[in-house]
């Protein structure tokens, strides 16, 4: 499927033009972007879903040059003439949820309530949970920064209770206190993706907001809603959906076909790592704040969140020290794999989400090119797991920059 990327980089300028409600002068053919995205994603969704499935792809694109918005457009696709999704169709975000958890921690760091290099245990009750504090017989400390940059040494996933196939808090707390061991020394040059680590990060955030509440761990969603989602007017981004929102959910499909169940009711310990639902309309609001186009995140919040704090390693550090061409910020992975027409390379910040039934991807960039400030994002939401969203998100963002007048 990757070959289709290069195939449609050659734009057919004679194709039918699409009307766009843009309130500023266009100095390049925006319809070329629409044609290329359509020619890429429509065959992709038709090939990856069965004819009887209600397969959906929702895409949002944004590009700004200085004070001029060049592109602010969404695209919606369905397979085999099935009903199209729209801006309010709700998808499960999976691990893109981690960017919300990290954003709230960055805000708490900048307010002085938390510190990146401080012990995470210091922001939790003394007895529940208790984090591992030794590695190979030596005393160690897991910090807030290590939890949010995948360098805590905690294993990938929260323990699953056998009889319920869920991750209840009390079961995870017992594991952390009595059984958990570290894969490597926290903060060393290692990077193991850890849903468990982000679950713990969510606990620290919840406890700081509800320190006098015994079941503070049940308040993660409330903290996110009060501190981030309501201020951003993101009414459809929730863990717990109301009856009307549930009717707007996309149907989740597995990689091999077939409808699967929605996941998060059984995920207590993983909610801060992957429990949120959202829509294209809401994710546009979040992404605009992430690139400095909103009013909820200030420049310091964004800088704290997106600062490079380590490398993304290809292994657990126990076997290999070869690393990917990527670096790690709080939740976000940073790649320098984008270039513009004048061969200017710049960083791309991305986060993917994948779980049974959904694939999601958000990529951001804010480069200065020829002394001009550019800001861009691409959001892709799909109701099928293991859909190739990562490569296509990068492809669409490259199309945005390729269309800059030059």
């Amino acid at each position: 499927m990757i070959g289709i990327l290069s195939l449609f980089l050659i734009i057919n300028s004679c194709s039918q033009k699409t009307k766009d409600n843009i309130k500023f002068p266009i100095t390049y053919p925006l319809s070329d972007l629409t044609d290329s995205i359509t020619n890429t994603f429509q065959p992709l969704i038709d090939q990856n879903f069965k004819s009887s499935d209600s397969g959906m792809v929702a895409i949002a694109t944004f590009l700004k040059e200085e004070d001029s918005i060049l592109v602010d457009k969404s695209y919606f696709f369905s397979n085999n003439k099935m009903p199209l999704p729209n801006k309010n169709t709700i998808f499960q975000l999976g691990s893109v949820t981690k960017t919300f958890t990290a954003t709230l921690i960055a805000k708490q760091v900048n307010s002085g309530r938390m510190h990146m290099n401080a012990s995470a245990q210091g922001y939790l009750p003394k007895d529940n949970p208790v984090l591992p504090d030794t590695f190979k017989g030596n005393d160690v400390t897991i910090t807030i920064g290590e939890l949010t940059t995948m360098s805590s040494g905690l294993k990938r996933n929260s323990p699953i209770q056998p009889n319920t196939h869920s991750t209840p808090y009390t079961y995870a707390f017992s594991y952390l206190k009595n059984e958990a061991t570290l894969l490597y020394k926290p903060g060393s040059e290692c990077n193991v993706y850890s849903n468990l680590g982000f679950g713990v990060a969510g606990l620290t955030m919840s406890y700081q907001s509800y320190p006098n509440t015994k079941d503070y761990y049940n308040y993660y969603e409330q903290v996110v809603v009060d501190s981030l989602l309501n201020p951003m007017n993101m009414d459809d981004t929730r863990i717990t959906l109301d009856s009307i929102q549930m009717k707007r959910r996309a149907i989740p499909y597995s990689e091999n076909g077939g409808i699967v169940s929605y996941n998060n009711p059984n995920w207590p310990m993983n909610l801060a790592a992957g429990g949120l639902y959202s829509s294209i309309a809401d994710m546009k609001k979040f992404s605009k704040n992430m690139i400095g186009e909103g009013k909820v995140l200030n420049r310091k919040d964004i800088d704290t969140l997106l600062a490079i704090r380590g490398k993304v390693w290809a292994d657990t550090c126990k076997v290999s020290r070869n690393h990917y061409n990527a670096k790690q910020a709080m939740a976000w992975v940073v790649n320098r794999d984008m270039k513009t027409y004048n061969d200017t390379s710049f960083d791309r910040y991305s986060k993917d989400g994948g779980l049974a039934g959904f694939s999601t991807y958000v990529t951001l960039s804010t480069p200065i090119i020829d002394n001009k400030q550019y800001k861009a994002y691409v959001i892709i939401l799909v109701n099928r797991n293991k859909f190739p969203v990562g490569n296509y998100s990068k492809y669409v963002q490259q199309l945005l920059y390729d269309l800059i007048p030059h």
Side-chain angles (χ1 to χ4, degrees):
M1 294 303 300
I2 300 302
I4 198 169
L5 298 181
S6 57
L7 177 63
F8 288 107
L9 284 174
I10 302 174
I11 307 297
N12 181 3
S13 61
C14 297
S15 58
Q16 182 178 357
K17 300 303 178 182
T18 302
K19 293 182 179 179
D20 298 286
N21 296 320
I22 307 297
K23 298 179 181 179
F24 47 84
I26 296 296
T27 55
Y28 62 91
L30 185 61
S31 60
D32 282 359
L33 175 66
T34 296
D35 290 343
S36 186
I37 290 175
T38 300
N39 290 336
T40 298
F41 281 92
Q42 191 58 60
L44 187 64
I45 189 172
D46 286 340
Q47 294 168 18
N48 280 274
F49 285 89
K50 296 180 179 179
S51 59
S52 58
D53 294 341
S54 294
M56 295 179 174
V57 174
I59 302 172
T61 58
F62 180 87
L63 177 65
K64 184 176 182 180
E65 177 188 271
E66 297 287 344
D67 294 326
S68 299
I69 297 175
L70 302 180
V71 177
D72 188 358
K73 186 171 176 58
S74 299
Y75 302 89
F76 303 98
F77 302 94
S78 64
N79 65 308
N80 299 298
K81 299 183 180 179
M82 287 289 182
L84 288 171
N86 59 51
K87 66 179 183 179
N88 298 316
T89 301
I90 293 176
F91 298 77
Q92 200 162 3
L93 292 181
S95 286
V96 172
T97 300
K98 293 180 176 69
T99 65
F100 291 79
T101 303
T103 299
L104 284 174
I105 290 178
K107 288 178 67 66
Q108 291 196 351
V109 166
N110 289 330
S111 69
R113 296 175 62 188
M114 301 177 78
H115 299 277
M116 292 292 287
N117 295 324
S119 167
Q121 188 66 63
Y123 298 110
L124 293 168
K126 292 182 179 180
D127 59 349
N128 201 7
V130 177
L131 303 182
D133 58 4
T134 59
F135 176 70
K136 293 185 176 181
N138 297 313
D139 292 342
V140 296
T141 299
I142 300 174
T143 68
I144 291 295
E146 289 156 2
L147 288 175
T148 57
T149 58
M150 307 300 181
S151 59
S152 67
L154 292 170
K155 71 173 188 176
R156 180 180 178 92
N157 289 320
S158 300
I160 298 175
Q161 191 174 47
N163 59 330
T164 63
H165 301 288
S166 64
T167 62
Y169 288 113
T170 53
Y171 190 74
F173 292 171
S174 176
Y175 164 79
L176 287 168
K177 184 175 182 179
N178 301 311
E179 302 177 44
T181 58
L182 296 174
L183 300 176
Y184 52 82
K185 182 180 178 181
S188 59
E189 288 191 331
C190 298
N191 180 291
V192 173
Y193 196 88
S194 181
N195 292 311
L196 175 59
F198 256 88
V200 174
L203 293 175
T204 65
M205 191 182 70
S206 299
Y207 188 63
Q208 291 308 294
S209 298
Y210 292 91
N212 300 317
T213 304
K214 185 176 181 180
D215 63 341
Y216 71 94
Y217 41 82
N218 287 324
Y219 284 80
Y220 170 79
E221 181 176 17
Q222 193 62 53
V223 176
V224 179
V225 170
D226 292 342
S227 301
L228 201 62
L229 303 180
N230 282 349
M232 289 186 182
N233 297 315
M234 297 176 65
D235 297 332
D236 279 336
T237 304
R238 295 291 188 273
I239 292 172
T240 307
L241 302 179
D242 61 32
S243 59
I244 296 175
Q245 290 169 324
M246 289 176 70
K247 293 179 181 178
R248 289 193 275 116
R249 287 185 300 182
I251 298 171
Y253 292 96
S254 71
E255 177 186 11
N256 298 320
I259 299 173
V260 296
S261 61
Y262 299 99
N263 285 278
N264 64 9
N266 292 324
W267 280 12
M269 190 62 190
N270 283 332
L271 292 180
L276 284 171
Y277 289 93
S278 192
S279 64
I280 278 290
D282 271 13
M283 288 304 295
K284 288 175 64 175
K285 297 172 185 177
F286 179 68
S287 299
K288 286 182 179 179
N289 271 274
M290 288 299 307
I291 60 173
E293 290 295 303
K295 298 180 180 180
V296 177
L297 301 182
N298 59 39
R299 186 69 255 170
K300 189 175 181 181
D301 293 334
I302 297 170
D303 288 345
T304 297
L305 184 63
L306 298 183
I308 293 173
R309 301 178 184 277
K311 295 179 179 180
V312 178
W313 296 94
D315 211 314
T316 65
C317 260
K318 295 190 298 183
V319 178
S320 171
R321 287 185 175 270
N322 295 323
H323 61 83
Y324 297 119
N325 184 29
K327 296 181 180 180
Q328 183 74 58
M330 294 177 68
W332 296 89
V333 172
V334 189
N335 286 276
R336 177 155 286 199
D337 58 6
M338 299 292 294
K339 289 188 177 182
T340 62
Y341 58 86
N342 63 354
D343 206 36
T344 299
S345 61
F346 57 91
D347 290 334
R348 177 175 62 95
Y349 303 85
S350 61
K351 187 69 192 81
D352 65 327
L355 69 166
F358 293 96
S359 296
T360 59
Y361 207 90
V362 181
T363 185
L364 319 163
S365 57
T366 57
I368 295 176
I369 304 168
D370 290 344
N371 297 316
K372 293 181 179 180
Q373 175 70 69
Y374 289 87
K375 298 179 180 180
Y377 65 71
V378 174
I379 307 160
I380 302 180
L381 308 178
V382 186
N383 63 330
R384 174 185 175 275
N385 67 305
K386 296 189 178 179
F387 197 86
V389 287
N391 287 328
Y392 288 98
S393 180
K394 176 186 173 183
Y395 163 65
V396 174
Q397 191 175 75
Q398 187 66 63
L399 286 178
L400 293 178
Y401 283 105
D402 287 346
L403 290 174
I404 294 173
H406 60 279

